[in-house]
Amino acid sequence: MIDETLVRELLDAGDEDSALVLLEGHARVAGRAVLDSEALRGAAVVLTRAELVDRLGTAYPDPQELTLVAAALDDTVGKLGG
């Protein structure tokens, strides 16, 4: 569900308030304007871009760090469904 591509997409988002969200079993990156829209009503915010940068310590991590963060987020989200 959550992979390096989504984590990279979140890092590349221009808005610090962009977030990785879950809605109906699907993960996606959404900007602040979309987060507040009817289209994402009920979505759960997993992590904002600002939180991700803080967690990584940089906005320019190496690919291995992205893989590790994606795996940790995917594991956490997977446990929520159980």
Side-chain angles (χ1 to χ4, degrees):
M1 180 183 305
I2 297 175
D3 61 16
E4 305 86 42
T5 303
L6 277 172
V7 176
R8 170 53 60 198
E9 185 180 339
L10 181 56
L11 278 176
D12 290 344
D15 180 5
E16 288 292 311
D17 290 331
S18 292
L20 178 62
V21 299
L22 291 177
L23 182 64
E24 298 175 357
H26 298 284
R28 66 177 277 196
V29 173
R32 171 55 52 198
V34 178
L35 285 172
D36 295 334
S37 73
E38 188 65 31
L40 288 183
R41 174 173 247 130
V45 174
V46 175
L47 189 71
T48 66
R49 183 187 184 282
E51 291 167 339
L52 178 59
V53 170
D54 187 52
R55 181 175 183 164
L56 290 168
T58 180
Y60 307 100
D62 65 50
Q64 183 179 6
E65 288 177 288
L66 289 181
T67 300
L68 292 173
V69 168
L73 291 171
D74 191 61
D75 184 57
T76 300
V77 167
K79 289 177 181 175
L80 292 175

